[in-house]
């Protein structure tokens, strides 16, 4: 909806402005009072030609104004604007009838048709004005528009019949003229009409408070002046200055509307939106939606140029669009600038989002570089256009059928085959190139430079993480490595007490076996067993703390928190038992795993010195797990009572009773876990 932006004023100045406006509207009533209170000032001036041309000229101009409003109402399909147009057509139309019946012009003598013509027009207009100011919803507005032809026909027929009867002196307009235009029973009707104008003015003023508009303010002023004209009609004698006074009020009322329409036209640059401030809220929302759609179409056109690398579209390219939305050249220029700004903002947002996504995809872990590049292109092409990436290989960088030297360097981007080329630099050397479309925008080169910088960092990180996978992650648990990479402070010496489930496993008979075979056979056996055991721990979320010869220690619930750590530890132990038993079946002379699991508090953290440290756990819970493992038979899983209680139902177990554990005061209640998924076996 077209709105007027008024100059900003301090709040203290607003009451003053309202007072000045009110005094302007009160001045005509003060002048009327002066003329009526001082009869010697209210002189008679009878001049037919002056009345005829003044009134007819004003009437015809405002009939055109009413027709203009009607066309706008039909185009917008808005009931409020249509009712306002009828208010102006009825008042201006009967004002023209009043001019035609001026005595001494087209008729010899004045009759009652001359007296009542314009008061009747003002009364009819007051009804339309009041109706237009009501809270009309879309349904009531639609009903008003459906009655458009009927109301137009009735109004035209009434004005034509009044004119013909007045000119010919036929009943009921054959009666002689009165001392005043309104007398007798017409007085209360005219007073009620003035009240309707006042109510309409107040309601439109409230609309103006919500949406400041020159047209709305002039409409308020016009209705107040028409109410004052109605009062003047009731009180003034014909052809006296007080009677001429209401003619001046009509000129002022219609003049305010005409001037505000002109101001709005100058501001809009077209006639389409001059009266949009008057329309219903539903119509205003529809107009705003149309203009939003206009912006979106502009953005789409600009975006298409951006994606293809062609020149941005200009005014001539929007001819069909301008015709659709009835935009002037000035409006096209404004919307085009707004669309360009919006398109630039959206492009920047898309590019920032693409950069963030590229950084996110540079995740910790082994990644194939070619797969990473393909993944990155899926992200950046919708935001940057037709970009390509080539990586260095055998001293050359190939992008489709174009070949670049690996020594491209860090110099500013070059242009090749109409495309901007940027090097991807890793550790001071050219690791690849980024090709992008060459555009006219000033920031296109800069945006490609930013993208090349981010891709260089990401590519370097991908290679670094891959190196870490070889040099770092294979020497410790993936959970510990990921935790240290995410938060290096976790590498500091120290720790804290956590409840953990510790899993100890070693090979029963390892010492005897190692005495009887070659060292190579020992290494082959250990690697075979550990290759089967490690996945069992990792697949259940465990952290392998250390390998000590034939033994391993794994923790659950540290460093990553796990609410079901006891279940995970037992599942890992059973899987490890089954895997090692399959290996032992193939190699009967090899030793076999025995496993102990215990749950309880332990001190977990980094233990060692500033020069060398390791992630470990200490405490009674860990020691008991080691002792349970030492007491277990080959191919068995023994758990502490706390672990079994944490498992709950669904685990088959056999109680081993209270066991005396070496190096610990008191006994330990132990259980052998047979399997998971069945009822718990009672001793």
């Amino acid at each position: 909806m077209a709105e007027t932006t008024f100059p900003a004023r301090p709040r203290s100045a607003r009451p003053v402005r309202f007072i000045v406006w009110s005094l302007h509207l009160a001045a005509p009533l003060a002048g009327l009072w002066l003329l009526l209170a001082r009869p010697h000032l209210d002189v008679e001036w009878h001049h037919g030609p002056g009345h005829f041309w003044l009134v007819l000229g004003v009437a015809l101009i405002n009939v055109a104004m009413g027709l203009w409003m009607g066309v706008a109402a039909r185009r917008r399909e808005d009931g409020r604007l249509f009712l306002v147009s009828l208010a102006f057509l009825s008042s201006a139309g009967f004002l023209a009838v009043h001019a035609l019946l001026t005595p001494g012009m087209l008729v010899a003598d004045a009759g009652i048709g001359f007296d009542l013509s314009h008061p009747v027009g003002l009364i009819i207009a007051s009804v339309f004005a009041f109706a237009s100011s009501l809270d009309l919803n879309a349904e009531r507005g639609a009903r008003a528009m459906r009655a458009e032809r009927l109301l137009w026909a009735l109004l035209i027929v009434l004005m034509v019949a009044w004119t013909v009867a007045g000119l010919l002196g036929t009943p009921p307009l054959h009666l002689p003229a009165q001392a005043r235009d309104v007398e007798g029973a017409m007085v209360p009707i005219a007073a009620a009409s003035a009240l309707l104008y006042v109510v309409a003015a107040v309601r439109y003023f409230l609309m103006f408070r919500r949406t400041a508009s020159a047209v709305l303010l002039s409409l308020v002023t016009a209705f107040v002046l028409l109410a004052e004209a109605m009062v003047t009609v009731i009180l003034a004698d014909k052809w006296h200055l007080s009677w001429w006074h209401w003619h001046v009020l009509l000129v002022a009322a219609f003049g305010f509307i005409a001037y505000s329409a002109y101001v709005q036209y100058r501001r809009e640059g077209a006639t389409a939106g001059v009266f949009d401030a008057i329309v219903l809220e539903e119509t205003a929302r529809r107009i705003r939606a149309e203009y939003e759609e206009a912006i979106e179409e502009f953005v789409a056109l600009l975006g298409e140029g951006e994606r293809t690398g062609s020149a941005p579209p200009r005014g001539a390219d929007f001819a069909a669009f301008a015709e659709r939305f009835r935009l002037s050249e000035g409006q096209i220029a404004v919307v085009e600038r707004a669309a360009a700004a919006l398109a630039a903002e959206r492009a920047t947002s898309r590019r920032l989002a693409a950069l963030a996504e590229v950084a996110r995809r540079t995740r910790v872990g082994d990644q194939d570089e070619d797969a990473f590049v393909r993944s990155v292109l899926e992200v950046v092409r919708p935001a940057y256009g037709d970009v390509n990436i080539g990586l260095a290989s055998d001293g050359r960088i190939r992008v489709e059928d174009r070949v670049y030297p690996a020594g491209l360097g860090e110099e500013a981007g070059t242009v090749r085959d109409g495309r901007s080329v940027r090097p991807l630099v890793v550790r001071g050397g050219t690791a690849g190139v980024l090709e992008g479309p060459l555009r006219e925008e000033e920031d296109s080169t800069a945006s490609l430079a930013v993208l090349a910088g981010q891709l260089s960092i990401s590519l370097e990180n991908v290679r670094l993480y891959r190196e870490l996978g070889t040099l770092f992650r294979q020497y410790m648990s993936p959970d510990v490595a990921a935790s240290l990479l995410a938060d290096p402070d976790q590498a500091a010496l120290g720790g804290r007490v956590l409840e953990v489930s510790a899993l100890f496993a070693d090979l029963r008979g390892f010492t005897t076996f190692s005495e009887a075979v070659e060292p190579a056979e020992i290494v082959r056996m250990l690697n075979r067993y550990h290759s089967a055991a490690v996945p069992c721990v990792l697949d259940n979320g465990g952290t392998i703390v250390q390998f000590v010869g034939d033994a391993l220690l794994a923790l659950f619930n540290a460093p990553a928190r796990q609410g079901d750590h006891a279940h995970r530890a037992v599942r890992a132990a059973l899987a490890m038992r089954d895997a090692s038993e399959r290996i032992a079946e193939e190699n009967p002379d090899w030793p076999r795993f025995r496993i102990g699991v215990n749950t309880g508090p332990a001190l977990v953290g980094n233990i060692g010195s500033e020069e060398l440290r390791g992630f470990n756990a200490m405490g009674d819970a860990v020691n008991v797990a080691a002792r349970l493992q030492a007491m277990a038979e080959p191919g068995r899983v023994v758990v502490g009572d706390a672990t079994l209680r944490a498992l709950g139902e669904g685990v088959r177990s056999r109680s081993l009773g209270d066991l005396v554990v070496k190096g610990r005061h008191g006994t330990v209640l132990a259980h052998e876990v047979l399997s998971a998924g069945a009822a718990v076996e009672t001793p």
Side-chain angles (χ1 to χ4, degrees):
M1 181 170 63
E3 297 181 2
T4 299
T5 303
F6 289 89
R9 294 182 174 86
R11 289 184 177 274
S12 58
R14 295 175 185 175
V16 176
R17 183 177 61 183
F18 178 76
I19 292 172
V20 172
W21 178 70
S22 301
L23 290 176
H24 277 85
L25 294 180
L29 289 180
L32 176 63
W33 173 81
L34 182 63
L35 291 174
L36 296 179
R38 300 290 187 270
H40 64 281
L41 297 177
D42 193 19
V43 297
E44 182 179 353
W45 183 56
H46 195 298
H47 192 272
H51 177 273
F52 178 81
W53 292 114
L54 170 67
V55 174
L56 185 61
V58 173
L60 292 179
I61 291 174
N62 286 280
V63 165
M65 179 75 65
L67 292 174
W68 185 9
M69 288 184 181
V71 171
R74 187 178 302 111
R75 183 176 66 249
R76 300 296 192 195
E77 296 182 354
D78 186 80
R80 171 173 289 148
L81 188 55
F82 169 61
L83 292 173
V84 173
S85 72
L86 288 181
F88 276 86
L89 281 172
S90 56
S91 59
F94 273 97
L95 185 62
V97 174
H98 180 70
L100 294 176
L101 298 181
T102 302
M105 299 302 294
L106 300 182
V107 293
D109 299 315
I112 196 171
F114 171 72
D115 296 341
L116 294 179
S117 53
H118 196 252
V120 168
L122 285 176
I123 291 170
I124 296 173
S126 69
V127 176
F128 289 132
F130 173 75
S132 71
S133 71
L134 297 177
D135 294 326
L136 300 176
N137 55 27
E139 182 181 353
R140 296 191 186 100
R143 284 204 297 267
M145 291 304 300
R146 285 196 294 271
E148 177 189 14
R149 293 186 179 181
L150 176 62
L151 293 174
W152 272 84
L154 290 175
L155 191 59
I156 291 173
V157 168
L158 181 59
M159 288 189 293
V160 170
W162 194 288
T163 303
V164 171
L167 291 174
L168 299 178
T170 58
L173 304 182
H174 61 291
L175 299 176
Q178 306 171 139
R180 293 179 178 175
D181 286 338
V182 172
E183 293 182 349
M186 285 293 293
V187 172
I189 297 176
S193 174
L195 181 61
L196 290 180
Y197 279 122
V198 171
V199 173
V202 170
R203 294 186 67 85
Y204 275 105
F205 179 75
L206 296 177
M207 296 181 199
F208 171 78
R209 291 287 299 272
R210 294 192 298 269
T211 305
S213 166
V215 172
L216 267 178
L217 184 61
S218 64
L219 194 62
V220 174
T221 305
F223 286 158
V224 173
L225 292 176
L226 290 178
E228 295 178 359
M230 204 75 244
V231 173
T232 306
V233 167
I234 297 172
L235 300 177
D237 293 330
K238 287 202 307 291
W239 299 109
H240 287 259
L241 290 183
S242 55
W243 182 78
W244 284 95
H245 180 77
W246 71 259
H247 292 77
V248 174
L249 289 175
L250 291 176
V251 173
F254 294 140
F256 268 110
I257 292 294
Y259 178 72
S260 66
Y262 171 74
V263 169
Q264 197 73 12
Y265 166 75
R266 290 290 301 273
R267 188 172 287 117
E268 294 282 342
T271 61
V274 170
F275 302 111
D276 284 353
I278 304 175
V279 298
L280 296 171
E281 181 60 31
E282 288 81 359
T283 306
R285 283 196 292 268
R286 190 171 66 247
I287 294 171
R288 286 194 294 269
E290 289 178 359
Y291 279 95
E292 288 172 2
E293 184 180 354
I295 292 288
E296 292 296 336
E297 289 195 12
F298 268 144
V299 170
L301 288 172
L302 293 171
E304 181 63 26
E306 180 184 352
R307 284 189 295 274
T308 59
S310 59
R314 297 302 179 207
D317 301 305
F318 297 130
F321 167 82
E323 176 64 23
R324 175 182 172 187
F325 292 101
R326 300 181 179 87
L327 301 181
S328 66
E329 291 183 3
Q331 288 174 320
I332 290 177
V334 170
V335 178
E336 183 178 347
R337 288 195 296 271
L342 181 58
E345 180 183 354
R346 289 186 174 181
T348 301
S349 298
R350 288 196 302 271
R351 289 169 183 171
L352 289 174
L355 291 175
E357 180 62 18
V358 169
R360 190 191 69 81
R361 295 193 178 199
T362 313
R363 62 186 182 275
V364 176
D366 294 339
Q367 288 195 78
D368 178 74
E369 288 185 9
D370 292 333
F372 174 71
V373 168
R374 289 192 296 271
S375 173
V376 164
L377 287 175
E378 293 176 359
V379 173
V380 300
R381 278 176 173 166
Y384 287 86
D386 185 21
V387 298
N388 287 301
I389 299 173
L391 299 180
S393 177
D394 296 329
R396 294 187 304 172
I397 304 171
R398 181 180 296 277
V399 183
E400 295 180 345
D401 58 346
R402 296 174 293 279
V403 179
Y404 300 91
L408 194 62
E410 295 186 80
E411 67 269 14
T414 59
V415 177
R416 181 167 177 178
D417 298 332
R419 297 175 65 80
S420 179
V421 180
R422 288 275 172 178
L424 302 180
V425 181
V426 174
R427 299 178 185 177
T430 304
V433 296
L434 168 68
E435 288 186 346
L438 193 63
R439 300 192 182 93
E440 295 180 359
E441 303 98 288
E442 294 181 0
D443 68 335
S444 63
T445 303
S447 66
L448 282 176
V450 172
L451 177 60
Q454 177 61 57
L455 290 175
S456 298
I457 295 172
S458 296
L459 185 59
E460 184 170 1
N461 287 338
V462 166
R463 293 179 176 179
L464 175 61
Y465 292 147
R466 189 173 59 198
E467 292 175 6
L468 287 174
T470 301
L471 302 176
F472 180 46
R473 293 172 61 90
Q474 290 182 359
Y475 286 89
M476 63 174 57
S477 171
D479 285 339
V480 176
S483 297
L484 291 177
L485 288 171
D487 183 7
D489 289 341
Q490 293 190 40
L493 290 173
R496 54 179 172 169
V497 176
L498 297 172
E499 183 182 76
V500 299
S501 290
L503 182 154
F504 260 101
D506 80 343
L507 294 171
R508 176 72 176 271
F510 173 74
T511 303
T512 303
F513 174 80
S514 61
E515 292 175 350
V517 299
E518 295 294 327
E521 180 68 9
I522 297 172
V523 172
R524 188 175 76 86
M525 183 268 297
L526 288 176
N527 288 340
R528 179 77 184 277
Y529 270 127
H530 288 323
S531 295
V534 167
C536 299
V537 174
L538 299 184
D539 290 348
N540 286 282
T543 298
I544 297 178
V545 174
Q546 60 184 356
F547 292 99
V548 181
D550 64 318
L552 67 84
L553 167 62
L555 294 180
F556 294 81
N557 202 38
R561 302 295 176 265
Q562 299 158 333
D564 59 343
H565 53 90
H567 291 81
R568 291 172 179 266
V570 171
R571 286 200 300 268
L574 292 173
M576 189 186 305
R577 180 198 64 184
D578 295 341
S580 65
E581 286 299 299
R582 287 192 293 270
I583 295 173
E585 289 176 2
E586 298 173 3
N587 304 274
D589 56 334
W590 283 10
R592 297 164 64 193
F593 261 127
R594 55 183 178 179
I595 306 165
V597 179
N598 191 47
T599 301
L603 178 63
V604 179
N606 298 298
I607 301 168
S609 68
E610 291 295 337
E611 292 77 14
L612 185 65
R613 68 197 66 183
F615 182 79
N616 213 323
M618 296 184 301
D620 183 64
V622 180
N623 294 335
V624 169
R627 299 293 181 246
L628 291 176
Q629 166 262 318
M631 300 175 67
E633 295 294 327
R636 303 293 176 91
V637 176
V638 177
V639 303
D641 191 60
T643 302
L644 187 68
R645 282 188 279 107
L647 297 178
E649 301 292 330
V651 176
R652 290 181 63 242
S653 65
R654 181 171 63 87
S655 176
L656 301 179
D658 292 322
L659 302 181
V660 177
V661 176
K662 181 180 178 181
R664 189 177 190 275
H665 296 293
T667 59
V668 173
L669 182 58
H671 308 268
E672 179 188 350
V673 174
L674 304 175
S675 65
V680 176
E681 190 177 279
T682 59

Coordinates of all heavy atoms in Angstrom, one line a residue, residues 507-531:
L507 N 45.8 -63.2 27.4 CA 45.8 -64.6 26.9 C 46.4 -65.5 27.9 O 47.5 -65.4 28.3 CB 46.7 -64.6 25.6 CG 46.1 -63.8 24.4 CD1 47.2 -63.7 23.3 CD2 44.9 -64.4 23.9
R508 N 45.6 -66.5 28.3 CA 46.0 -67.5 29.3 C 46.9 -68.5 28.6 O 46.6 -69.0 27.6 CB 44.8 -68.2 29.9 CG 45.1 -69.4 30.8 CD 45.6 -68.8 32.1 NE 45.8 -69.9 33.1 CZ 44.9 -70.4 33.9 NH1 43.7 -69.9 33.9 NH2 45.2 -71.4 34.8
G509 N 48.1 -68.6 29.2 CA 49.2 -69.5 28.6 C 50.1 -68.8 27.7 O 50.8 -69.5 26.9
F510 N 50.1 -67.5 27.7 CA 50.9 -66.7 26.7 C 52.4 -67.0 27.0 O 53.2 -67.1 26.1 CB 50.6 -65.2 26.8 CG 51.5 -64.4 26.0 CD1 51.4 -64.3 24.6 CD2 52.5 -63.6 26.6 CE1 52.3 -63.6 23.9 CE2 53.4 -62.8 25.9 CZ 53.2 -62.8 24.5
T511 N 52.8 -67.0 28.3 CA 54.2 -67.1 28.6 C 54.7 -68.4 28.1 O 55.8 -68.5 27.5 CB 54.4 -67.0 30.1 OG1 53.9 -65.7 30.6 CG2 55.9 -67.1 30.5
T512 N 54.0 -69.5 28.4 CA 54.4 -70.8 27.9 C 54.5 -70.9 26.4 O 55.5 -71.5 25.9 CB 53.5 -71.9 28.5 OG1 53.4 -71.8 29.9 CG2 53.9 -73.3 28.0
F513 N 53.5 -70.3 25.7 CA 53.5 -70.3 24.3 C 54.7 -69.6 23.7 O 55.4 -70.0 22.8 CB 52.2 -69.7 23.8 CG 52.1 -69.5 22.3 CD1 51.8 -70.6 21.5 CD2 52.4 -68.3 21.7 CE1 51.8 -70.5 20.1 CE2 52.3 -68.2 20.3 CZ 52.0 -69.2 19.5
S514 N 55.0 -68.4 24.3 CA 56.1 -67.6 23.8 C 57.4 -68.2 23.9 O 58.4 -67.9 23.2 CB 56.0 -66.2 24.4 OG 56.2 -66.3 25.8
E515 N 57.6 -69.1 24.9 CA 58.9 -69.8 25.1 C 59.1 -70.8 24.1 O 60.3 -71.2 23.8 CB 58.9 -70.4 26.5 CG 58.9 -69.4 27.7 CD 58.9 -70.0 29.0 OE1 58.6 -71.3 29.0 OE2 59.0 -69.4 30.0
A516 N 58.0 -71.3 23.4 CA 58.1 -72.5 22.5 C 58.2 -72.1 21.1 O 58.4 -72.9 20.2 CB 57.0 -73.4 22.8
V517 N 57.9 -70.8 20.7 CA 57.8 -70.4 19.3 C 58.8 -69.3 19.0 O 59.3 -68.6 19.9 CB 56.4 -70.1 18.9 CG1 55.4 -71.2 19.1 CG2 55.9 -68.8 19.7
E518 N 58.9 -69.0 17.7 CA 59.8 -67.9 17.3 C 59.0 -66.6 17.5 O 57.8 -66.5 17.6 CB 60.0 -68.0 15.8 CG 60.9 -69.2 15.4 CD 62.3 -69.1 16.0 OE1 62.8 -68.0 16.1 OE2 62.9 -70.2 16.3
P519 N 59.8 -65.5 17.7 CA 59.2 -64.2 18.0 C 58.2 -63.8 16.9 O 57.2 -63.1 17.1 CB 60.4 -63.2 18.0 CG 61.5 -64.1 18.5 CD 61.3 -65.4 17.9
A520 N 58.5 -64.1 15.6 CA 57.6 -63.7 14.5 C 56.2 -64.4 14.7 O 55.2 -63.8 14.4 CB 58.2 -64.1 13.2
E521 N 56.2 -65.6 15.2 CA 55.0 -66.3 15.4 C 54.2 -65.6 16.6 O 53.0 -65.6 16.5 CB 55.2 -67.8 15.7 CG 54.0 -68.6 16.0 CD 53.1 -68.8 14.8 OE1 53.6 -68.4 13.7 OE2 52.0 -69.3 14.9
I522 N 54.9 -65.1 17.6 CA 54.3 -64.4 18.7 C 53.6 -63.2 18.2 O 52.4 -62.9 18.5 CB 55.3 -64.1 19.8 CG1 55.9 -65.4 20.4 CG2 54.7 -63.2 20.9 CD1 57.1 -65.1 21.3
V523 N 54.3 -62.4 17.3 CA 53.7 -61.2 16.8 C 52.5 -61.5 15.9 O 51.5 -60.8 16.0 CB 54.8 -60.4 16.0 CG1 54.2 -59.2 15.3 CG2 55.9 -59.9 16.9
R524 N 52.6 -62.5 15.1 CA 51.5 -62.9 14.2 C 50.3 -63.3 15.1 O 49.1 -62.9 14.8 CB 51.9 -64.1 13.3 CG 50.8 -64.4 12.3 CD 51.3 -65.4 11.3 NE 51.3 -66.8 11.9 CZ 50.2 -67.6 11.9 NH1 49.1 -67.2 11.4 NH2 50.3 -68.7 12.5
M525 N 50.5 -64.0 16.2 CA 49.4 -64.5 17.0 C 48.8 -63.3 17.7 O 47.5 -63.1 17.7 CB 49.9 -65.5 18.0 CG 48.8 -66.0 19.0 SD 48.7 -65.0 20.5 CE 50.3 -65.3 21.2
L526 N 49.6 -62.4 18.3 CA 49.0 -61.2 19.0 C 48.3 -60.3 18.0 O 47.2 -59.8 18.3 CB 50.2 -60.4 19.6 CG 50.9 -61.0 20.8 CD1 52.0 -60.2 21.3 CD2 49.8 -61.2 22.0
N527 N 48.8 -60.1 16.8 CA 48.1 -59.2 15.9 C 46.8 -59.8 15.5 O 45.8 -59.1 15.3 CB 49.0 -58.9 14.7 CG 50.1 -58.0 15.0 OD1 50.1 -57.3 16.0 ND2 51.2 -58.0 14.1
R528 N 46.8 -61.2 15.3 CA 45.5 -61.8 14.9 C 44.5 -61.7 16.0 O 43.3 -61.3 15.7 CB 45.8 -63.3 14.7 CG 44.6 -64.1 14.3 CD 44.2 -63.9 12.8 NE 43.0 -64.6 12.5 CZ 43.0 -65.9 12.1 NH1 44.1 -66.6 12.1 NH2 41.8 -66.4 11.8
Y529 N 44.8 -61.9 17.3 CA 43.9 -61.8 18.4 C 43.4 -60.3 18.5 O 42.2 -60.0 18.7 CB 44.5 -62.3 19.7 CG 44.3 -63.7 19.9 CD1 45.4 -64.6 20.2 CD2 43.0 -64.3 19.9 CE1 45.2 -65.9 20.4 CE2 42.8 -65.6 20.1 CZ 43.9 -66.5 20.4 OH 43.7 -67.8 20.6
H530 N 44.4 -59.4 18.5 CA 44.0 -58.0 18.7 C 43.2 -57.4 17.6 O 42.3 -56.6 17.8 CB 45.3 -57.1 19.0 CG 45.9 -57.4 20.3 ND1 45.2 -57.6 21.4 CD2 47.2 -57.4 20.7 CE1 46.0 -57.8 22.5 NE2 47.3 -57.7 22.0
S531 N 43.5 -57.9 16.4 CA 42.7 -57.5 15.2 C 41.2 -57.9 15.4 O 40.3 -57.2 14.9 CB 43.3 -58.0 13.9 OG 44.6 -57.5 13.7

